[in-house]
Amino acid sequence: MTSSMTPRHNEGGSPVPPPPPAPTPATIKPKNTIEQMVREAFARQASDIHIRVGEPPRFRVQGQMVIMREQGKVTPQVFEQYLAEILTDKQRELFGENKELDTAIFYPGLVRCRVNCFESLTGGAIVLRLISLEVPSIDSLGLPQVLKYLSTYSQGLILVTGPTGSGKSTTLAAIIRHMNEVSSRHIVTIEDPIEYVHTSQKCLVSQREVGLHTLEFQNALRSVLREDPDIILIGEMRDRVTVDTALKAAQTGHLVLGTLHTRNAINALNRLLNIYNPDEQPAMRVQITESLIGVIAQLLIPTTDGRRTAAHEILINTPAMADYLLKGNDSDAFQLMETGANEGMQVMNQVLCDLVLLGKISPDEAVKASPDPGDLRRRVRNEGYDPSRSSNREFMHNT
């Protein structure tokens, strides 16, 4: 019997080379690198890339998840190569220890990506949020013009609220850009991670990334008041220490911008209050109301042309509004927002009604986004589009 080790020969008698060895896990190559996927996602105007072991990559395009079937399922070996492409050795070590990691990567001339790595039931996962290198403006985004007015305040608290993925970071970036163009102040941001990169213009902009420029978010909060800021962007108001620092800064001559995950403006104050014990809430209600400048609640809604548009509910803390907020009179506060176009205020159903009547969004999408679908339907039936409310034009006319 011929040994299995005996060389094979072709018909001419010459030896036939043995077949190449099967690929080992270390030699399995992904069909595309992360950079190639980012370039494709950018070309398709995707907002996010989702990579997960056991699944083909997906792009989020106009809010919808699109499967990239040509990529095939991500294996554990391919996932490790993706991590090696975008993370340093130290970051991979931290990911292994903590099972999650936030960072950012930069592709010159193309895009920045906010990166989150985490473990899931099926294995490792990566989500990349694509962020334009050009900081958007208030006008280019079609944001309410009252935001320009709010940015002129020298001290107080401005909140941008909304669910995850509603564009809060983009709205804040546009506000920072406007400040940078029209005023001469020192802006300090504490971000996890940095998304939009601001180049100092009239303002001096100091951006700090957690894990890169400061070891802990709380450390940066403690030191920010010693950095001679005029404007502080602290991102999410996530806990008591963050809220305490924001209020202290707002009460000592600084303009503070923060975010919350509430769908409407009035609930923002209640969300902050709920961080404190019940016996502390009356005193904190006074502090928050005295510090508050305004709340912009934002939703992203699919449009009839296959894109998405932002809808905003706006609360401006006028003396009358402050009186209602101090008393906890939410119904009167809401009524004041509804009739306060001269001050730049508006409620979500007003905006949704206008968008439906303009044909920008469908009635079904408006109902999905509405806090009160019955009220919205009545508005659409009974009201005509009022151009004086659009983008706070009436507010701008009267200031």
Side-chain angles (χ1 to χ4, degrees), residues 16 164 387:
V16 175
T164 301

Side-chain angles (χ1 to χ4, degrees), residues 112 130-143 147-148 167-181 195-199 201 207 298:
R112 279 178 62 86
L130 277 65
I131 302 165
S132 171
L133 297 183
E134 180 182 357
V135 181
S137 68
I138 289 174
D139 292 335
S140 69
L141 293 174
L143 298 177
L147 298 189
K148 294 181 180 180
K168 298 186 295 295
S169 297
T170 302
T171 294
L172 285 172
I175 295 173
I176 293 294
R177 170 176 167 168
H178 181 72
M179 295 171 171
N180 195 13
E181 290 174 343
E195 296 188 12
Y196 291 94
V197 176
H198 297 270
T199 302
Q201 297 181 43
Q207 294 183 261
Q298 177 167 310

Side-chain angles (χ1 to χ4, degrees), residues 212-226:
L212 185 60
H213 309 122
T214 178
L215 296 179
E216 297 287 344
F217 184 81
Q218 305 297 353
N219 295 346
L221 278 179
R222 282 192 292 269
S223 66
V224 68
L225 293 179
R226 297 192 293 269

Side-chain angles (χ1 to χ4, degrees), residues 238-250:
R238 60 184 76 184
D239 51 37
R240 180 172 180 145
V241 173
T242 308
V243 176
D244 284 343
T245 303
L247 292 176
K248 179 181 179 182

Side-chain angles (χ1 to χ4, degrees), residues 2-66:
T2 304
S3 166
S4 61
M5 298 299 293
T6 302
R8 294 180 299 144
H9 293 73
N10 60 21
E11 292 180 355
S14 58
V16 175
T24 63
T27 62
I28 296 175
K29 297 294 184 183
K31 291 186 177 180
N32 269 340
T33 63
I34 294 285
E35 180 175 353
Q36 288 170 327
M37 277 192 274
V38 168
R39 291 186 180 279
E40 183 177 352
F42 180 80
R44 297 184 59 168
Q45 297 184 321
S47 61
D48 301 85
I49 302 170
H50 289 253
I51 299 167
R52 185 166 305 171
V53 169
E55 298 278 350
R58 286 170 164 84
F59 291 173
R60 185 179 292 278
V61 182
Q62 302 301 336
Q64 302 299 311
M65 297 290 279
V66 180

Side-chain angles (χ1 to χ4, degrees), residues 175-384:
I175 295 173
I176 293 294
R177 170 176 167 168
H178 181 72
M179 295 171 171
N180 195 13
E181 290 174 343
V182 303
S183 63
S184 300
R185 294 184 278 181
H186 181 205
I187 302 170
V188 178
T189 75
I190 305 170
E191 302 174 73
D192 187 14
I194 289 173
E195 296 188 12
Y196 291 94
V197 176
H198 297 270
T199 302
S200 297
Q201 297 181 43
K202 287 189 174 182
C203 287
L204 174 64
V205 184
S206 303
Q207 294 183 261
R208 305 192 69 199
E209 180 171 318
V210 177
L212 185 60
H213 309 122
T214 178
L215 296 179
E216 297 287 344
F217 184 81
Q218 305 297 353
N219 295 346
L221 278 179
R222 282 192 292 269
S223 66
V224 68
L225 293 179
R226 297 192 293 269
E227 294 161 6
D228 188 32
D230 298 295
I231 300 162
I232 305 168
L233 171 63
I234 61 174
E236 185 182 348
M237 310 279 277
R238 60 184 76 184
D239 51 37
R240 180 172 180 145
V241 173
T242 308
V243 176
D244 284 343
T245 303
L247 292 176
K248 179 181 179 182
Q251 292 165 354
T252 55
H254 306 86
L255 181 60
V256 181
L257 298 105
T259 67
L260 286 172
H261 292 289
T262 62
R263 291 181 67 90
N264 65 66
I266 292 176
N267 277 352
L269 186 142
N270 297 325
R271 175 66 61 87
L272 294 180
L273 285 176
N274 288 336
I275 292 174
Y276 296 90
N277 297 326
D279 60 313
E280 299 173 298
Q281 290 181 9
M284 294 312 303
R285 180 180 288 274
V286 174
Q287 285 196 43
I288 295 168
T289 303
E290 288 180 347
S291 302
L292 187 66
I293 295 172
V295 183
I296 302 97
Q298 177 167 310
L299 299 175
L300 276 183
I301 305 170
T303 58
T304 52
D305 62 357
R307 304 175 68 84
R308 290 191 293 173
T309 189
H312 301 89
E313 181 170 86
I314 300 174
L315 180 155
I316 307 297
N317 195 21
T318 63
M321 178 62 73
D323 185 55
Y324 292 142
L325 296 179
L326 282 171
K327 294 175 181 176
N329 195 337
D330 291 355
S331 60
D332 283 345
F334 182 84
Q335 184 66 30
L336 182 58
M337 288 173 58
E338 192 168 17
T339 59
N342 286 346
E343 287 80 25
M345 289 190 269
Q346 59 192 29
V347 299
M348 185 59 71
N349 271 358
Q350 286 176 345
V351 181
L352 295 175
C353 177
D354 290 346
L355 290 172
V356 169
L357 294 173
L358 283 169
K360 289 187 176 180
I361 66 174
S362 70
D364 287 344
E365 292 294 348
V367 167
K368 289 179 186 178
S370 172
D372 185 345
D375 172 68
L376 174 64
R377 291 187 181 98
R378 287 190 294 272
R379 289 175 187 269
V380 173
R381 283 196 306 266
N382 301 329
E383 294 187 17

Side-chain angles (χ1 to χ4, degrees), residues 34-139:
I34 294 285
E35 180 175 353
Q36 288 170 327
M37 277 192 274
V38 168
R39 291 186 180 279
E40 183 177 352
F42 180 80
R44 297 184 59 168
Q45 297 184 321
S47 61
D48 301 85
I49 302 170
H50 289 253
I51 299 167
R52 185 166 305 171
V53 169
E55 298 278 350
R58 286 170 164 84
F59 291 173
R60 185 179 292 278
V61 182
Q62 302 301 336
Q64 302 299 311
M65 297 290 279
V66 180
I67 299 176
M68 311 307 293
R69 298 188 185 278
E70 69 275 10
Q71 295 286 338
K73 292 183 178 180
V74 176
T75 66
Q77 295 78 23
V78 167
F79 183 78
E80 287 299 316
Q81 293 183 53
Y82 287 152
L83 292 180
E85 179 185 347
I86 63 175
L87 302 183
T88 65
D89 291 342
K90 178 63 175 177
Q91 287 173 326
R92 294 186 70 181
E93 181 181 335
L94 289 172
F95 178 44
E97 293 173 358
N98 301 325
K99 306 300 181 184
E100 53 196 2
L101 177 77
D102 288 310
T103 186
I105 52 178
F106 171 52
Y107 297 102
L110 183 69
V111 73
R112 279 178 62 86
C113 292
R114 186 181 72 194
V115 181
N116 176 256
C117 306
F118 61 99
E119 292 286 348
S120 72
L121 182 63
T122 62
I126 304 170
V127 177
L128 300 98
R129 166 67 56 84
L130 277 65
I131 302 165
S132 171
L133 297 183
E134 180 182 357
V135 181
S137 68
I138 289 174
D139 292 335

